Amino acid sequence: MNKIPNRQAICDVLVEKAAGDKDIFVLCSDSRGSASLAEYANTYPEQFIEVGIAEQNLVSISAGLAKTGKKVFAASPACFLSTRSMEQAKVDVGYSNTNVTLIGISGGISYGSLGMTHHSNQDIASMGTIPNMRVYLPSDRHQTKSLIKALLEDTRPAYVRVGRNPVADIYSEEETPFILDKATVLSEGTDLAIIACGEMVSIAFEAVKALKEQGISATLLDMYCIKPLDKEALLNAAANAKAVITLEEHSIYGGLGSLVSQLISANCPKKVINLALPDEPAISGKSKEVFDYYGLNKEGLIKTAMELMNDVK
Amino acid sequence: MNLTQKSFQLRKDVLDMIYRAGTGHMGGDFSVMDILVTLYYKQMNISPELTQDPLRDYFILSKGHSVEALYAVLADRGFFPKADLLSYSQFGSKYIGHPNNKINGIEMNSGSLGHGLSVCVGIALGVQKSGGGNRVYTVMGDGELAEGSVWEGAMAAGHYKLDNLCAVVDRNRLQISGSTEKVMSQDSQDLRWESFGWHVIHATGNDITALDSAFKEARNTKGKPTVIIADTIKGYGVSFMENNPAWHHKIPTNEEYEKAVAELAAKEAEANE
């Protein structure tokens, strides 16, 4: 099992790239440890800014820095960054169109036992409704690295959410298919289209393998680009399937499932089931315990897939 | 034309803009006008042709609802044709009721209070990191100081000893609901700024000479950011608007418009003597 969380992968890329680029700036809000940024802070103290526990300030300062030509990465727990600072993200980053990448760390229910204050089940919805703001939930450390490298090369606002713990590799050092804003097709099938994002992709990946053994073939899309959503890949997958399942670590309202359902109902109507967190303060516990409780696991996905196949036959 | 005359002339442009459009924030425009004129005609290194020059000074209008005053100043300084002001608040115009960075000379979008100072902290840090000597300015309203995010910005500016940053508080003592001291007291603000590591200057905010001296003092202050608490009069220049909270966003009748035009013209003529 891989032991490197996606947040560490982000730091690794920034450390590597900052060596040759004095314009890269990383900011945090008393979160250098939780964001795995200590190595960056120690290596490039002149390109690192600590703002203290002040997430609104974090985002506005980032936007100001970007005005002076810096490539700015601001990391803070996703729960605070995406909603406490939402107005700063809306006005100073999205509306003013500044070169800021907001990095939401320990997203979803990574801080499982800390309760709803520390869960970020609203970040796709909040960040996704800000014009100019792109929203990415990379699935493993290799894709995370590819994404951060791509974001270093452009100047538009973005929000990236990663979790706290290591997740199983889907890709490899040698082979990480990645085109910015294009979903990665992990398998192709004719029965179901499964659309997953973030760290749920590895769960879906395992479920798809198990479904195949039971004679159900599924297309699996790693939809790391929630906004802009890769409509072409999505409609292709849906058109070739009898039904669609979405899987995400986010509220059932306003996340990947909502966006996919909107698009499919308008273009190639068919049954879509959204697997996500319900509209309630999530139960607390370790991530895996919480996922198991809500059926956001391999078994839950397989069960939903089997029921759905019976329905649409 | 001296700058005091200029500031009355520009108030007339603001009056026209708001009277024509039927929307705007005249009271705060009139209180802040001398601050903007001092910055844009005497203090800041800016030019219409070099709005992206890395050596330029930066200005963020944190109290974004006073944008009409900023439009009048920018048009007069040649950042865009004065005729563009005719489209202020018209359907689809980029000259909207709060600063919009699609307009030449406007750095950032603003309007939601309490953002400008933190953005300026970022700019000042960026300039400092690049080794530039540029100066960074923002103007806030006194009512705006109730936003908590202002004090996050103040704390960071003091912590990083940003002596290239100068904030101005347009201290006209009125907000929509009435006196700032009744709504949310701001009279203890000297202590607040000082405790966050700022140099505090008081200046008469509708006096360009006094403001110019204050900005010079700020420029010469090393090792800490400066705040200029500019004591202004809301609605300054038109007798019946002065110190009347109704003129925060009231629109003049025909009669009031004519009277205001006459008063501003008289003030402009008087300033020539």
Side-chain angles (χ1 to χ4, degrees):
Chain A
M1 173 70 179
N2 160 51
K3 291 207 170 75
I4 300 174
N6 292 351
R7 60 198 164 107
Q8 181 62 50
I10 293 174
C11 182
D12 292 347
V13 173
L14 294 171
V15 167
E16 178 196 329
K17 296 292 181 183
D21 191 343
K22 293 286 164 215
D23 283 336
I24 295 175
F25 272 76
V26 176
L27 288 83
C28 82
S29 49
D30 197 32
S31 47
R32 77 181 70 188
S34 49
S36 303
L37 288 169
E39 188 189 349
Y40 184 96
N42 293 335
T43 314
Y44 305 103
E46 287 303 309
Q47 290 167 255
F48 184 79
I49 293 168
E50 170 66 77
V51 307
I53 305 168
E55 292 81 11
Q56 298 174 79
N57 208 24
L58 173 75
V59 176
S60 295
I61 289 178
S62 297
L65 267 171
K67 276 299 294 179
T68 66
K70 311 300 184 199
K71 302 167 186 173
V72 185
F73 290 76
S76 182
C79 49
F80 310 128
L81 190 61
S82 63
T83 47
R84 186 175 206 132
S85 317
M86 187 181 171
E87 197 191 80
Q88 282 73 15
K90 170 185 140 183
V91 176
D92 304 332
V93 179
Y95 184 27
S96 286
N97 212 2
T98 47
N99 185 8
V100 176
T101 297
L102 301 172
I103 299 181
I105 51 168
S106 300
I109 45 169
S110 295
Y111 290 130
S113 64
L114 299 185
M116 184 166 167
T117 56
H118 283 61
H119 297 164
S120 84
N121 304 338
Q122 298 77 22
D123 51 352
I124 296 176
S126 60
M127 292 293 117
T129 51
I130 295 174
N132 290 334
M133 184 72 78
R134 295 168 294 161
V135 177
Y136 301 106
L137 270 72
S139 57
D140 79 349
R141 59 181 168 142
H142 300 296
Q143 191 188 57
T144 301
K145 282 188 172 187
S146 299
L147 172 65
I148 297 299
K149 284 177 187 168
L151 294 177
L152 273 162
E153 295 300 314
D154 79 26
T155 59
R156 297 168 294 161
Y159 171 77
V160 177
R161 185 237 272 191
V162 290
R164 182 168 178 76
N165 301 315
V167 278
D169 285 345
I170 295 163
Y171 308 103
S172 64
E173 202 77 56
E174 301 73 34
E175 198 181 354
T176 304
F178 181 87
I179 301 172
L180 188 62
D181 297 337
K182 294 288 173 199
T184 304
V185 182
L186 285 170
S187 74
E188 289 186 273
T190 52
D191 293 319
L192 285 172
I194 298 174
I195 321 296
C197 65
E199 296 168 20
M200 284 286 136
V201 176
S202 66
I203 290 170
F205 195 54
E206 292 305 314
V208 165
K209 281 194 254 177
L211 284 168
K212 195 171 182 186
E213 285 166 17
Q214 307 215 28
I216 295 172
S217 75
T219 295
L220 174 58
L221 292 188
D222 177 349
M223 191 62 83
Y224 76 89
C225 44
I226 313 287
K227 188 188 170 194
L229 196 64
D230 183 352
K231 295 176 182 170
E232 191 187 352
L234 176 59
L235 293 178
N236 244 336
N240 293 324
K242 299 186 184 87
V244 178
I245 301 174
T246 64
L247 182 65
E248 64 192 311
E249 187 180 351
H250 186 272
S251 163
I252 195 154
Y253 292 137
L256 176 72
S258 299
L259 297 166
V260 166
S261 302
Q262 271 181 12
L263 200 75
I264 290 179
S265 62
N267 292 280
C268 55
K270 55 187 63 180
K271 192 157 187 173
V272 181
I273 299 291
N274 299 146
L275 296 180
L277 292 160
D279 182 33
E280 65 185 38
I283 196 164
S284 60
K286 292 187 179 69
S287 292
K288 188 174 180 317
E289 292 169 337
V290 178
F291 292 152
D292 288 347
Y293 180 80
Y294 291 117
L296 296 174
N297 54 14
K298 181 179 160 186
E299 295 71 29
L301 181 53
I302 291 170
K303 181 170 174 279
T304 302
M306 304 290 276
E307 286 169 2
L308 192 51
M309 287 315 296
N310 279 334
D311 269 7
V312 295
K313 259 176 195 161
Chain B
M1 175 179 280
N2 65 42
L3 288 181
T4 303
Q5 285 181 286
K6 173 69 74 186
S7 107
F8 287 117
Q9 184 198 56
L10 295 177
R11 281 183 179 88
K12 166 75 169 39
D13 290 344
V14 168
L15 177 70
D16 285 347
M17 225 183 296
I18 292 175
Y19 177 64
R20 192 186 308 116
T23 178
H25 294 87
M26 198 126 49
D29 289 331
F30 284 7
S31 69
V32 82
M33 186 60 91
D34 299 294
I35 298 166
L36 298 184
V37 166
T38 311
L39 282 169
Y40 276 85
Y41 294 79
K42 287 184 80 82
Q43 285 292 330
M44 287 201 297
N45 172 33
I46 41 111
S47 90
E49 297 77 29
L50 296 171
T51 50
Q52 298 307 311
D53 187 335
L55 298 177
R56 72 190 184 279
D57 288 340
Y58 291 83
F59 175 75
I60 305 289
L61 184 63
S62 195
K63 49 168 280 184
H65 48 286
S66 292
V67 76
E68 300 88 4
L70 182 59
Y71 288 160
V73 168
L74 288 173
D76 192 66
R77 283 286 272 108
F79 283 84
F80 50 80
K82 200 167 174 180
D84 283 11
L85 297 178
L86 293 170
S87 79
Y88 162 71
S89 278
Q90 300 304 302
F91 178 73
S93 171
K94 64 183 176 183
Y95 297 91
I96 56 180
H98 289 99
N100 173 7
N101 66 358
K102 289 193 173 69
I103 295 167
N104 195 38
I106 292 185
E107 300 275 3
M108 292 281 287
N109 297 318
S110 60
S112 177
L113 295 174
H115 292 226
L117 185 58
S118 294
V119 170
C120 284
V121 168
I123 297 173
L125 277 167
V127 164
Q128 204 181 58
K129 297 276 185 186
S130 304
N134 332 31
R135 293 194 59 77
V136 185
Y137 297 96
T138 187
V139 175
M140 294 174 282
D142 47 4
E144 180 178 359
L145 300 184
E147 290 282 4
S149 53
V150 168
W151 301 103
E152 291 189 4
M155 181 165 44
H159 176 82
Y160 284 108
K161 304 185 187 340
L162 298 174
D163 56 15
N164 55 346
L165 171 60
C166 177
V168 184
V169 177
D170 179 5
R171 182 77 170 114
N172 61 33
R173 296 181 170 269
L174 286 176
Q175 55 193 108
I176 297 178
S177 290
S179 153
T180 51
E181 298 323 292
K182 281 189 182 156
V183 175
M184 190 51 65
S185 172
Q186 303 298 345
D187 259 351
S188 57
Q189 60 168 303
D190 281 30
L191 287 171
R192 299 183 201 167
W193 291 107
E194 280 164 4
S195 67
F196 281 119
W198 287 63
H199 176 55
V200 180
I201 303 173
H202 280 266
T204 304
N206 293 121
D207 178 336
I208 287 166
T209 309
L211 286 166
D212 197 41
S213 301
F215 282 119
K216 281 179 187 148
E217 184 180 331
R219 196 181 286 273
N220 292 327
T221 301
K222 301 300 173 198
K224 51 169 69 175
T226 293
V227 59
I228 298 171
I229 299 169
D231 288 310
T232 59
I233 293 171
K234 198 153 182 170
Y236 184 72
V238 176
S239 60
F240 58 90
M241 294 183 186
E242 289 184 359
N243 285 321
N244 180 350
W247 285 96
H248 179 82
H249 50 20
K250 190 172 177 310
I251 307 304
T253 61
N254 293 354
E255 196 185 357
E256 286 167 336
Y257 171 77
E258 296 299 340
K259 195 160 180 263
V261 169
E263 286 196 21
L264 289 171
K267 286 265 168 61
E268 189 187 325
E270 193 184 315
N272 195 27
E273 287 165 5

